[in-house]
Amino acid sequence: MDYQRFFEDAIDQLHAERRYRVFADLERIVGAFPRAIWRSNGEAREITVWCSNDYLGMGQHADVIAAAQKAAGAMGSGAGGTRNISGTNHPLVELELELAGLHGKEAALVFTSGFVSNEAAISTIGRLLPNCLILSDELNHASMIEGVRCSGAEKKIFRHNDVAHLESLLQQAGRERAKLIVFESVYSMDGDVAPIAAIADLAEKYNAMTYIDEVHAVGMYGAHGGGITEREGLAHRIDVIEGTLAKAFGTLGGYIAGRREVIDAVRSYAPGFIFTTALPPMIAAAATASIRHLKASQAERDAQQRQARRAKDVLSAADLPVMPSETHIVPVLVGDPELCKMASDRLLAKHGIYIQPINYPTVPRGTERLRITPTPFHDDALIDTLKDALVETWTALGIPFHGETRPAVPARSDRVVPLAVPKAGG
């Protein structure tokens, strides 16, 4: 059997569908964020990153770097084992206490990534609840989908943010059956927000547990960076809050927070937690420093929200097809996978601007886009430069501006003519 051929065919399929991914070789520059060195074909060039998940620039904050350096100097580079076998280092214990306090919960548990925390926690909770029914938003992240799948529990998908559809599914299940509602607070591709209060109301009415993914909101929203649940005063109504340390907090790792018994059960039963090496003390210490800073400082959140609003306004005023977004996410519609990749390549090569193309399966076919994430360090001049570069790119490649429609093209599975998108609000 020609095993190699199967892998070649799989890669050829990605190329044929215009969704083969190419990674940019980047070297971030402390003190110059969002500037970075881009290395390609033996050359190095300084560029501006416009799609980083380091939403507040905390990855370069002096306190965060100092905490990592101090911990590495005192305890070395790694944890030395799993949590059960010598890996429960003191900075990690402190980090979990800090996270529990951030969300007003009894306990927290740290994992090596946000993907692992979702997969491990959802699958374990779903397995431990007898005859559990998991109700999952149709736009949930791949890590949540994997957690639901690995749980072995029955699942039902409710239409995105559709509380009426969710209620109909809860009614069918009845009050006595174990039920887990899993959803996100901020959906990162469109920048919309879940109706958290309404979902919590339904959970109480139909006796269901709630699990919310706040990875694109922690650090960013709420008086102390506790996310949308803190901003809206709803954290106490959610059973499990999941978050990440790798976005607004600028480090690495994922976590869950909730009642002590729930967290302890996941700690005791989740293979994704039990059988993996613990987070290194230098990372744990850096994350704690970042959380503590953002609990006390509103300056980063205010500046980031201001620059996100200005970016939406400036790009929309240039008739670029900015998709509606309630949050810091600024998606700009391209609507074609090949053009999306071409736009990203042109922005990088001609303008020194890096924005990764977002294509299927991350977003539905026909909604391919550039996902822009302004930070406090993307000043007004950088936003104006971005606008000029996008206008030049859209014009050069013939990508429709706001209100324009694409000429009809032959039907292809990977090419869908998008509808005109309404101009984004603030």
Side-chain angles (χ1 to χ4, degrees), residues 141 394 423:
H141 188 264
W394 251 241
K423 194 172 282 192

Side-chain angles (χ1 to χ4, degrees), residues 17 36 59 67 72 86 88 118 146 176 190 197 205 210 218-219 227 232 244 278 280 288 314 355 387 390 402 425:
E17 295 179 358
S86 82
T88 299
N118 269 335
E146 188 66 9
E176 299 310 312
D190 294 313
K205 181 177 179 180
T210 48
V218 290
E232 299 183 4
T244 186
T288 299
V314 168
I355 310 173
K387 180 260 296 180
L390 287 171
H402 171 69

